[in-house]
């Protein structure tokens, strides 16, 4: 069974889905209600979480971020585009998880300048791909202007994931590994995990 489906048969995986969804929704909802915009870019600090949670919790984070995004949209920004929002927010952490673990293959997993550098590369690539997909969905299915939507989505997400996300990642990686708060097959393949 693919790990994205298998996570629903694992109690630990379901717990990580719930934690991710709740934390993401708790950060989304107040800012969706306030609708803060600076220079045409919506301010959503929750964007700091998908890449970090994706790397740590893989398939559980994919479901959790997708569900949390739907919950957040129900409190202030629900539209037909929210369906695509679920799909993109599902892909975003899972893509981050796969990319980071590929870049870290056969390396001891611990917080290091290399691990942080790989985080930044993954954050940029995953954010670029996923926000371009979201803006494209808005253009194709809802006639929204691609450039302005892409700038808004990408601008918000890249700012938070490269700054606050990097800080959270730097603080969380070591303790998460030591306490076993990591999840997904990539954590057990091709890595040397310090004990």
């Amino acid at each position: 069974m693919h790990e994205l489906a298998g996570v629903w048969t694992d109690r630990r995986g379901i717990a990580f889905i719930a934690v991710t969804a709740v934390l993401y929704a708790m950060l989304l909802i107040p800012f969706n209600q306030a609708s803060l915009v600076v220079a045409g870019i919506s301010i959503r600090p929750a964007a700091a979480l998908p890449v970090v949670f994706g790397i740590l919790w893989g398939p559980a984070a994919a479901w959790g971020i997708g569900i949390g995004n739907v919950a957040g949209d129900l409190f202030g920004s629900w539209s037909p585009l929210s369906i695509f929002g679920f799909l993109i927010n599902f892909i975003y952490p899972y893509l981050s998880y796969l990319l980071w673990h590929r870049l870290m293959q056969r390396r001891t997993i611990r917080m290091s300048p290399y691990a942080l550098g790989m985080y930044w590369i993954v954050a940029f690539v995953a954010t670029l791909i996923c926000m371009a997909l979201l803006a494209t969905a808005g253009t194709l299915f809802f006639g929204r202007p691609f450039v302005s939507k892409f700038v808004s989505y990408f601008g918000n997400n890249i700012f938070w994931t490269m700054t606050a996300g990097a800080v959270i990642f730097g603080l969380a990686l070591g303790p998460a590994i030591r306490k076993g708060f990591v999840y997904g097959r990539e954590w057990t393949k091709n890595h040397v995990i310090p004990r």
Side-chain angles (χ1 to χ4, degrees), residues 54-177:
I55 291 169
L56 295 177
W57 299 336
W63 287 107
I65 295 291
I67 293 165
N69 190 72
V70 169
D73 281 1
L74 288 172
F75 288 89
S77 61
W78 179 263
S79 76
L81 188 59
S82 295
I83 296 163
F84 293 95
F86 168 81
L87 293 173
I88 300 304
N89 278 280
F90 179 87
I91 294 167
Y92 191 18
Y94 195 67
L95 177 61
S96 301
Y97 160 76
L98 293 177
L99 288 173
W100 191 81
H101 285 279
R102 292 298 184 276
L103 292 170
M104 295 296 291
Q105 271 188 346
R106 297 179 186 86
R107 289 182 170 268
T108 301
I109 301 299
R110 61 166 58 95
M111 194 59 230
S112 66
Y114 183 84
L116 182 60
M118 293 306 100
Y119 168 87
W120 274 321
I121 289 170
V122 166
F124 181 82
V125 171
T127 302
L128 181 68
I129 291 169
C130 291
M131 296 311 109
L133 286 173
L134 188 58
T136 299
T139 300
L140 292 177
F141 296 101
F142 304 102
R144 297 184 177 184
F146 176 83
V147 173
S148 65
K149 287 298 174 185
F150 173 73
V151 168
S152 178
Y153 299 151
F154 182 74
N156 175 73
N157 281 272
I158 202 65
F159 173 78
W160 290 106
T161 198
M162 296 294 250
T163 56
V167 172
I168 295 167
F169 178 74
L171 294 173
L173 182 64
I177 291 169

Side-chain angles (χ1 to χ4, degrees), residues 30-43:
F31 289 89
N32 281 353
Q33 295 282 321
S35 296
L36 298 175
V37 178
V38 175
I41 297 173
S42 298
I43 305 303

